[in-house]
Amino acid sequence: MKARDKKRLYVIAILGIALLIGVGSYSIGRSSPTNPSSKTTATLGKFQPNSTVTIGSEVFPVTLNPTANASAAIDEVIDYNVLQHLVELDPKGAIIPVLATSWKVSKNNQVYTFQIRKGVRFSNGDPLTAQDVVFSMNRVFASGSTYPYGKLFDVSSVTAQGPYTVSVQLIQPSWEWLFNLAAYSNGVIIDPKTVGTLATDPIGTGPYKVVSEVNNYSITLTRNQRYYGPSARAKNVIFRYFSNPSTEDAALESGQIQVIDNLGTPSEVSLFKDSPRYKVITGPTNGKVQLTLNNSYGPLSNVLVRRAIAYATDKKAIIQVASGGYGTPLGSDSVPADPYYLNLSNTYTYNPTKAKALLIKAGYSHGFPLTITLPPYPYAQLAGPLLASELNAVGIKVKLSNVQWPLWISQVFEGGNFQATVIDHAEARDIGNYGTKGYYWHYSGTAQVSKMLAMANSAPTQKQWVAGYRAVLRKITDAAVNDWLYILPQITVTSSNITGVPTSGYSESFNLSYIGVGGKISTQATTMGF
Amino acid sequence: MTRQLRSKRHLKHSLGRSKVQSLLRLTLTLLVASVVDFTVINILPGSPGQVILGTQATPQKVAALDKTLGLTSPIYDQYLTWLRDLITMKLGRSYVSGSHISEQITQALQVTAPLIVGGLIIGIALSLPLAFLIYLLRESRSSMLVALILDLGVSTPSFILGLVLTYIFAIRFSALPASGFTFWSTSVTGALRSLVLPSVALGLVEAAIISRYAKNLIEEVMNTPYVQAARLRGQSETQAFLHHGLRNISAPLVTVVGLEASGLLVGAVVVENVFGLPGVGTLLLNAVQNRDLIIVQDVVMMAVTLVCTINLLVDLSYKRIQPGLRDEIL
């Protein structure tokens, strides 16, 4: 072969490689939903009792013990599905009986007496007794307890009144306690014999039990054969973890997973929402995305300035940008699932002119500098620039500062060393924060709110309690303590044949009670929000 | 004769001494690195107690937990305890998850070690022929094209390449898994299959980088008198390169590959993220997120030890590959 021929050969080879790259990019351009070979019909198909459902999620739970860590990732897998409570929340946020069949409230809302369900066994075969309940609930407030969340510690004693009766005495009356018992994983009932293995193999009474776990990668659950209720619809449920959203999307597209529990960036919805191969299920959560204002920072200590900021932010536009149009505008620290919910989202309707007028009245006609600290979450990163431009438009000179999560925790949350920040307050019914002394936004009315909340909780009727809480909502909204933006949506994407997915995110648990492949779920389950 | 013998003995002696010196240097480097590693990670803000207990926990509870975790004892005390555990290889348990750290690292290494080796093999296997091809094509018009492709390769981040590969081979053709890892104990072929795309993503970028160095080395060596002589003896360019050029560029090439090894470690972190692999990178990232300080410290220390050891081995390997260099580096 002549040297020139050889060179020609090389050139051809290189062109070949280039062509391959070209074809590759072309196939990316044509995303797979248009791929004719993989088209399926949107029918649910026949129910498959031996199915495995693989759910893609983003944060691997560092331990499986919900009583030792506040990570929502633990609760997502373990709470309700493996470890159960006396009462739990259905997807719509209502309190439902689980390990308790009924309960009585007496002595001015301070003593709760539960009837424990009979015939319940833990997945290791141990029967559930009143003693197990007493043990579990005492463990929350025992000295040296590492239970997170700061909930359910307000108990003075738990006693077994009989083999299936337990009564709980609270330190002070509370209309929130039962809800906290249902909503927070501090309420889990554990088998006293298995405390030592909670971190890796929690033994519970739920529809599923843990089979195996691969660190930073996956957790496998299987149907609990000893479950007292109707057996789980899927034989196995695997949670698989992805730190990269694109990888997670690709896994769904290639069929490795069937569910994405919650899309981290709502813009990804466009990948799936028009394809018959997928279902997009959206619903509300307890997440209140807010522009937290440090009420002790110079200009922000003036209520007129805080109101001006509320008027200057266009919540609908922020929902479009930060949440792909999903989400509900918010006006105070409450979501529709709360019994005391008030729609106050129209208190400060978007009105830049009014905002400017208020700033002038407050003596800031030339505006003032404001640093908004942004944690690394997509909603904050997306909302930040828009908030900055909206506030700049009324004369507030905004600077954005990005920080990592541990730094946010220490600098903003623990240190209170910030001016404003965008954050999702994910906990349910957390209005109590406004009465917590030294809470990071430094609201001047904290002591008053604390008194109002205590008064409301000792009210004899629920109606009066609701009225008391609503008064707090009005008070903090009037003071524009923070600029509440919107309710964070839960956006679940599944393959089209997956049934029984919870439609909202009012609990931290991703409730697997009805999830399965094909078939139809009962109307009762549908009304509960599956 | 005697003079030669003496010089040989001298060489042997100094070689032994240099090995001891190298080892001492390695130990000292590691010790300094451990201080830096420990200090940097411990001055990072964010109390593990607060991260564990959440934003609704009372400050008293957080303080109590930090105390239980041993985070309130004097900082030098914490450092010494950690160092002792490292040296005795008793890594203990993570205080966030309670699981054995050594188990976690062993598990992660099952993914990362073959990934890096695979990436390196693909990188070297592709880069030498590619560099030689460029040499052959120098002066022709198509060399521009190759240079362009190489530049593209160097500047393409491996995560983009990873996504491209995923779309082609996993979504379009379902030939390989899109992401994830099948452990060796479950299925060896499964493990290999799940490592193909990640290794290629890592290796292609590496190939582009190494071949740029190799290109220059080849050009140099092909102009040396001994290669010219080989040509005059009638050997083709390829024969001349394989017989005379390759061995002579090995030493500098090993240096480059050694330097790239640390780059590969970083690349592996990215590739693991793109392919959802439970390797060392994922372990590290999650540990940082969970404020699992001990794991972060241990993994960083492991990486430092690895890179330093590789550098030492590279140093030592020169002497085997090119005995002539001995005097220069001793």
Side-chain angles (χ1 to χ4, degrees):
Chain A
M1 210 195 280
K2 276 185 199 159
R4 250 184 84 187
D5 287 349
K6 247 184 190 171
K7 276 185 188 169
R8 201 167 289 163
L9 201 72
Y10 295 138
V11 174
I12 290 170
I14 291 159
L15 283 179
I17 295 170
L19 193 72
L20 234 135
I21 295 173
V23 168
S25 0
Y26 172 71
S27 69
I28 294 166
R30 286 161 51 94
S31 65
S32 58
T34 52
N35 180 357
S37 66
S38 49
K39 230 176 219 167
T40 48
T41 46
T43 51
L44 295 174
K46 236 181 98 197
F47 172 61
Q48 295 171 27
N50 290 320
S51 59
T52 294
V53 177
T54 308
I55 301 173
S57 190
E58 284 188 9
V59 183
F60 182 81
V62 62
T63 156
L64 297 184
N65 180 358
T67 72
N69 195 299
S71 160
I74 306 166
D75 296 345
E76 176 183 31
V77 179
I78 302 300
D79 205 18
Y80 298 3
N81 301 320
V82 177
L83 299 175
Q84 295 188 300
H85 307 204
L86 293 178
V87 290
E88 290 176 4
L89 295 184
D90 72 12
K92 287 194 171 159
I95 296 173
I96 51 168
V98 178
L99 293 179
T101 48
S102 65
W103 56 92
K104 266 197 331 226
V105 188
S106 57
K107 291 227 175 114
N108 196 17
N109 226 1
Q110 218 171 336
V111 179
Y112 286 74
T113 308
F114 296 93
Q115 291 305 317
I116 310 299
R117 192 181 291 275
K118 289 173 184 157
V120 176
R121 281 178 186 278
F122 288 96
S123 61
N124 61 1
D126 292 347
L128 172 78
T129 64
Q131 288 311 324
D132 301 328
V133 176
V134 173
F135 173 83
S136 303
M137 299 186 76
N138 274 328
R139 200 167 167 264
V140 181
F141 62 92
S143 74
S145 150
T146 55
Y147 276 64
Y149 297 120
K151 298 283 178 184
L152 305 184
F153 291 93
D154 48 348
V155 173
S156 59
S157 72
V158 185
T159 41
Q161 307 284 351
Y164 292 100
T165 312
V166 170
S167 84
V168 180
Q169 169 96 39
L170 305 189
I171 292 170
Q172 52 192 350
S174 168
W175 279 99
E176 290 190 83
W177 188 81
L178 194 70
F179 175 83
N180 289 343
L181 184 68
Y184 289 91
S185 57
N186 284 8
V188 292
I189 302 300
I190 50 186
D191 182 349
K193 283 186 221 155
T194 63
V195 170
T197 62
L198 268 178
T200 49
D201 186 19
I203 299 293
T205 53
Y208 285 94
K209 61 179 180 184
V210 178
V211 193
S212 62
E213 175 189 16
V214 179
N215 227 308
N216 295 318
Y217 185 65
S218 70
I219 296 169
T220 306
L221 307 179
T222 192
R223 202 179 266 156
N224 172 11
Q225 302 293 354
R226 293 195 170 97
Y227 180 53
Y228 64 87
S231 76
R233 291 180 74 242
K235 185 166 181 250
N236 302 302
V237 173
I238 301 171
F239 281 87
R240 253 204 64 189
Y241 295 89
F242 300 84
S243 40
N244 186 316
S246 307
T247 312
E248 194 178 14
D249 296 344
L252 182 62
E253 288 181 89
S254 70
Q256 286 188 312
I257 59 174
Q258 289 81 47
V259 180
I260 293 179
D261 62 344
N262 194 5
L263 284 184
T265 37
S267 55
E268 292 164 50
V269 175
S270 57
L271 274 176
F272 304 107
K273 71 175 174 196
D274 298 322
S275 166
R277 296 174 60 208
Y278 309 106
K279 279 190 290 194
V280 175
I281 301 156
T282 65
T285 67
N286 289 307
K288 296 157 285 279
V289 179
Q290 63 185 46
L291 176 65
T292 302
L293 305 173
N294 185 344
N295 286 217
S296 67
Y297 164 63
L300 297 182
S301 60
N302 187 331
V303 64
L304 295 179
V305 173
R306 298 199 299 268
R307 283 183 191 151
I309 288 175
Y311 276 120
T313 46
D314 182 356
K315 288 161 191 173
K316 291 213 174 90
I318 290 166
I319 291 173
Q320 280 301 331
V321 167
S323 189
Y326 295 93
T328 321
L330 202 56
S332 192
D333 187 59
S334 168
V335 298
D338 303 337
Y340 52 84
Y341 174 70
L342 277 179
N343 184 358
L344 296 172
S345 62
N346 291 324
T347 316
Y348 306 104
T349 41
Y350 178 53
N351 190 340
T353 327
K354 207 162 181 179
K356 273 187 213 160
L358 280 169
L359 282 176
I360 292 168
K361 206 173 153 192
Y364 292 98
S365 48
H366 299 295
F368 59 90
L370 180 72
T371 303
I372 303 181
T373 309
L374 300 176
Y377 299 114
Y379 62 82
Q381 295 290 324
L382 292 168
L386 180 61
L387 279 168
S389 80
E390 286 178 350
L391 295 179
N392 278 328
V394 300
I396 302 170
K397 296 160 198 78
V398 173
K399 210 185 104 202
L400 298 175
S401 145
N402 293 309
V403 296
Q404 286 304 306
W405 182 237
L407 189 63
W408 189 93
I409 285 275
S410 78
Q411 185 186 317
V412 177
F413 187 77
E414 289 183 308
N417 181 16
F418 73 108
Q419 296 172 0
T421 183
V422 178
I423 189 72
D424 162 35
H425 272 262
E427 287 86 5
R429 301 196 190 177
D430 54 5
I431 187 176
N433 291 340
Y434 289 84
T436 303
K437 203 178 148 216
Y439 209 68
Y440 77 114
W441 48 62
H442 302 295
Y443 168 45
S444 59
T446 302
Q448 264 175 299
V449 167
S450 170
K451 260 185 220 145
M452 288 167 79
L453 292 171
M455 280 235 317
N457 270 311
S458 54
T461 66
Q462 183 166 22
K463 218 172 152 186
Q464 282 163 293
W465 166 67
V466 166
Y469 268 44
R470 284 187 171 160
V472 173
L473 282 182
R474 287 203 189 86
K475 181 176 164 61
I476 60 173
T477 307
D478 185 56
V481 179
N482 293 308
D483 185 9
W484 299 275
L485 302 172
Y486 66 95
I487 299 170
L488 199 75
Q490 170 171 286
I491 306 173
T492 308
V493 184
T494 73
S495 301
S496 54
N497 62 344
I498 299 292
T499 46
V501 175
T503 55
S504 57
Y506 282 133
S507 62
E508 303 272 18
S509 161
F510 192 82
N511 198 322
L512 302 172
S513 305
Y514 295 95
I515 206 163
V517 179
K520 256 184 119 174
I521 58 167
S522 64
T523 40
Q524 191 205 352
T526 314
T527 38
M528 288 204 301
F530 287 96
Chain B
M1 188 71 192
T2 40
R3 233 182 98 199
Q4 227 175 344
L5 211 75
R6 204 183 306 144
S7 85
K8 233 180 187 171
R9 201 177 292 146
H10 172 74
L11 193 62
K12 215 172 176 183
H13 178 69
S14 71
L15 244 180
R17 204 176 59 195
S18 86
K19 266 182 194 157
V20 173
Q21 268 178 352
S22 301
L23 276 175
L24 270 176
R25 205 163 53 202
L26 178 72
T27 320
L28 202 67
T29 314
L30 291 181
L31 204 64
V32 173
S34 77
V35 175
V36 175
D37 178 18
F38 184 85
T39 321
V40 167
I41 285 161
N42 278 281
I43 57 169
L44 282 181
S47 112
Q50 186 82 61
V51 174
I52 291 171
L53 293 180
T55 50
Q56 290 194 318
T58 58
Q60 293 86 340
K61 284 255 162 223
V62 173
L65 183 61
D66 279 341
K67 194 170 177 207
T68 325
L69 297 177
L71 297 172
T72 43
S73 58
I75 197 90
Y76 62 87
D77 220 34
Q78 291 184 46
Y79 171 73
L80 289 177
T81 315
W82 174 62
L83 196 65
R84 189 196 61 210
D85 292 351
L86 263 189
I87 292 168
T88 53
M89 289 306 283
K90 279 183 198 137
L91 297 185
R93 288 163 182 267
S94 138
Y95 48 61
V96 181
S97 69
S99 57
H100 290 283
I101 295 170
S102 54
E103 276 171 26
Q104 292 204 29
I105 292 181
T106 318
Q107 184 210 298
L109 279 177
Q110 286 188 43
V111 182
T112 308
L115 173 63
I116 289 180
V117 171
L120 204 56
I121 290 174
I122 292 173
I124 296 172
L126 284 178
S127 63
L128 275 181
L130 202 59
F132 192 60
L133 179 71
I134 298 169
Y135 167 73
L136 291 180
L137 287 176
R138 67 193 185 283
E139 283 163 30
S140 79
R141 259 169 287 165
S142 40
S143 71
M144 275 286 281
L145 191 69
V146 187
L148 188 76
I149 292 179
L150 270 194
D151 281 342
L152 217 69
V154 173
S155 54
T156 306
S158 46
F159 71 90
I160 300 268
L161 201 61
L163 290 176
V164 173
L165 291 170
T166 308
Y167 272 101
I168 300 176
F169 292 102
I171 296 180
R172 289 286 286 187
F173 299 114
S174 310
L176 289 162
S179 66
F181 189 70
T182 312
F183 273 85
W184 300 95
S185 52
T186 317
S187 151
V188 174
T189 47
L192 289 174
R193 273 169 57 85
S194 40
L195 284 171
V196 172
L197 289 182
S199 303
V200 171
L202 195 61
L204 283 184
V205 176
E206 215 48 46
I209 297 173
I210 298 177
S211 55
R212 285 180 69 156
Y213 290 107
K215 185 188 79 174
N216 295 337
L217 292 173
I218 291 174
E219 263 168 22
E220 226 171 90
V221 82
M222 295 308 270
N223 285 324
T224 51
Y226 51 88
V227 174
Q228 303 276 17
R231 274 201 204 99
L232 289 175
R233 282 198 300 274
Q235 288 189 353
S236 74
E237 290 285 288
T238 319
Q239 278 172 328
F241 172 64
L242 289 178
H243 292 162
H244 304 282
L246 193 57
R247 180 154 182 141
N248 280 297
I249 63 165
S250 297
L253 204 59
V254 165
T255 318
V256 172
V257 171
L259 286 176
E260 271 306 308
S262 50
L264 271 169
L265 270 178
V266 177
V269 174
V270 177
V271 167
E272 280 172 18
N273 178 289
V274 173
F275 287 97
L277 298 174
V280 176
T282 313
L283 176 68
L284 185 63
L285 287 182
N286 284 348
V288 169
Q289 220 145 40
N290 294 320
R291 300 298 290 154
D292 211 337
L293 301 184
I294 293 188
I295 291 194
V296 180
Q297 282 164 213
D298 287 352
V299 172
V300 168
M301 231 18 240
M302 187 180 77
V304 171
T305 313
L306 198 68
V307 170
C308 289
T309 314
I310 288 174
N311 285 344
L312 181 73
L313 290 178
V314 167
D315 276 1
L316 295 176
S317 72
Y318 285 160
K319 298 156 197 169
R320 291 221 173 281
I321 298 169
Q322 242 176 334
L325 278 175
R326 269 179 199 162
D327 289 331
E328 282 171 45
I329 41 173
L330 291 183

